[in-house]
Amino acid sequence: MIDAGQSRASLIPLTRNHAGFPEGITGPDLLARMRSQAGLFGVELRNGHVDALERRQGDFLARTDQSTIRARTVLLATGVVNRRPPMIDDSTHARAVAAGRLRYCPICDGYEVTDRAVAVLGTGERGCNEALFLRSYTANVTLIAPEAARQLSAQQRALLGEAGVGIAGPCRAIRLDGNEILVDLEAGPRAFDSLYPALGSDARSELAGQVGADLSEEGCLKVDAHQRTSVVGLYAAGDVVLGLDQISHAMGEGGVAATTIRNDLARQTPLLR
Ligand SMILES: Cc1cc2nc3c(=O)[nH]c(=O)nc-3n(C[C@H](O)[C@H](O)[C@H](O)COP(=O)(O)OP(=O)(O)OC[C@H]3O[C@@H](n4cnc5c(N)ncnc54)[C@H](O)[C@@H]3O)c2cc1C
C-alpha cells in the first residue's frame, strides 16, 4: 500500500457515524488503527506519492520518486479533494475544520448542527440542494453565494423561499471568532455556528487517466458491480468512484474490490481456484 497521507478522513474531528465506535472516533485515530491492523497481517505500508502508472507487458508499473513497483493488479483508492473557499487562509481553514465550524459532509454530520445557525457557501443546483438538505436539521439556514446569487433559477429561489432558507452574498471573507464562524457580506459580518462549503470536489483520478480508464463527467472512475474499471487489472474503491462519499461506503467497495481481485487472479492461477 502506497499512501501520500492526504486522506479526507484525517480531517474528521470526531465521526459519530462509523459503526462500532458509539463514542465516536477521530479521523486520525481511525486511520492509525487501520494501518496498524493492515500491518499485523503483513501488508507493506509505504509513505509516498505515486507519480505515474503505466502498463508494461500485462503488468502495471507504479512509480514514486523512491522506487518503481511492478504489480499484476492495482486498486486505486485515491479519494477526492474538496474545493475550498478561496476567501479563507489555510491556517484559519484548518482550525475551523478541527472545531467543527467549517464542515464538508452534511450527510455525515448534519445532525450535529440540529437547530444551529448554518451557512451553506455555494450557488446553483449544488448550493440549493445542500441548503435544502440541511434545512431538515435546522430552520436557520442561509445560502451564501461566493460571488453573487445570480446562478439561482426562479424555481430554486422559490424552493428556498418556501423552506425558509435565506439567500445572501457575495461573500468577501470568512473568519473564525471564538465559537462562531464570521462571514463578511456587503452589509457587514454575519455569525454562524457552522458553514458548509458546497463548492464540489475534484477526484484524484490522474493515475487512472494515464492508463486510459473510463471516467465520468465529474472525473470519477467508472466501475462495474465488482469494482473493476474499464482497464483489465485496474480496480477502484472509495470517493474516487462516483457514489456516496462516506467511510462505510469506501470500506464496502474496498471489500468487494479485494475479493474480485483475489478471484480474478485465481482464474489466471489454477492452483488458487
Ligand atoms: C471534514 C470531513 C468530515 C467527514 N466526516 C465523515 C464522517 O463523519 N463519516 C464518514 O463516513 N465520512 C466522513 N467524511 C468523508 C470521508 O472522509 C471519506 O468518504 C473517506 O475518507 C473516503 O475514503 P477514501 O479511501 O476513498 O479516500 P481518502 O480517505 O481521501 O484517502 C485517499 C488516500 O489516497 C492517497 N493518494 C491519493 N493519490 C495518491 C497517489 N498518487 N499516490 C499515493 N497516495 C495517493 C491520499 O494521500 C489519501 O491518503 C468526512 C470528510 C471530511 C473532509
Side-chain angles (χ1 to χ4, degrees):
M1 187 182 92
I2 309 174
D3 184 12
Q6 300 292 316
S7 167
R8 286 214 304 148
S10 67
L11 300 175
I12 307 175
L14 190 77
T15 175
R16 296 185 178 84
N17 76 341
H18 189 55
F21 294 93
E23 310 302 327
I25 182 164
T26 71
D29 276 358
L30 182 63
L31 289 169
R33 279 170 175 250
M34 291 195 293
R35 286 179 78 91
S36 116
Q37 188 174 7
L40 276 180
F41 295 96
V43 176
E44 192 186 328
L45 305 165
R46 295 194 193 176
N47 298 323
H49 187 267
V50 177
D51 301 318
L53 188 65
E54 63 182 81
R55 304 241 43 191
R56 184 73 62 83
Q57 294 155 347
D59 287 347
F60 292 90
L61 294 184
R63 296 187 196 283
T64 71
D65 61 357
Q66 305 282 321
S67 62
T68 297
I69 296 161
R70 192 169 193 124
R72 291 167 71 191
T73 61
V74 171
L75 170 56
L76 286 177
T78 43
V80 302
V81 183
N82 290 115
R83 291 187 200 132
R84 295 181 172 192
M87 61 294 277
I88 182 169
D89 63 77
D90 284 352
S91 120
T92 311
H93 183 277
R95 284 187 294 123
V97 172
R101 301 291 152 227
L102 205 53
R103 294 171 179 263
Y104 279 95
C105 187
I107 294 174
C108 308
D109 56 29
Y111 82 99
E112 291 180 20
V113 298
T114 300
D115 295 336
R116 302 280 171 84
V118 170
V120 173
L121 186 76
T123 187
E125 197 181 342
R126 184 182 284 125
C128 180
N129 287 347
E130 195 147 323
L132 291 173
F133 179 84
L134 282 158
R135 175 63 187 81
S136 60
Y137 292 97
T138 171
N140 191 345
V141 181
T142 305
L143 178 61
I144 296 173
E147 304 295 336
R150 281 191 298 271
Q151 284 166 291
L152 288 171
S153 66
Q155 196 193 7
Q156 286 165 340
R157 283 177 182 278
L159 273 173
L160 293 166
E162 273 167 34
V165 172
I167 302 174
C171 160
R172 291 181 170 151
I174 298 172
R175 294 178 286 133
L176 200 53
D177 184 24
N179 285 333
E180 292 177 325
I181 189 140
L182 292 180
V183 177
D184 285 335
L185 301 167
E186 254 165 11
R190 273 195 57 187
F192 296 92
D193 294 304
S194 286
L195 181 145
Y196 284 84
L199 305 173
S201 56
D202 296 304
R204 289 198 190 103
S205 51
E206 302 82 8
L207 296 175
Q210 290 172 14
V211 289
D214 287 348
L215 303 177
S216 71
E217 265 177 38
E218 298 83 358
C220 289
L221 266 155
K222 287 188 182 173
V223 293
D224 69 7
H226 298 274
Q227 306 303 131
R228 297 183 188 99
T229 71
S230 61
V231 172
V232 175
L234 185 70
Y235 305 76
D239 289 359
V240 75
V241 175
L242 195 61
L244 181 66
D245 287 353
Q246 286 221 287
I247 299 167
S248 53
H249 195 63
M251 286 181 166
E253 289 187 342
V256 172
T259 308
T260 309
I261 291 172
R262 189 263 167 218
N263 290 340
D264 286 351
L265 284 173
R267 264 180 228 111
Q268 302 160 19
T269 318
L271 278 178
L272 292 178
R273 269 186 205 146

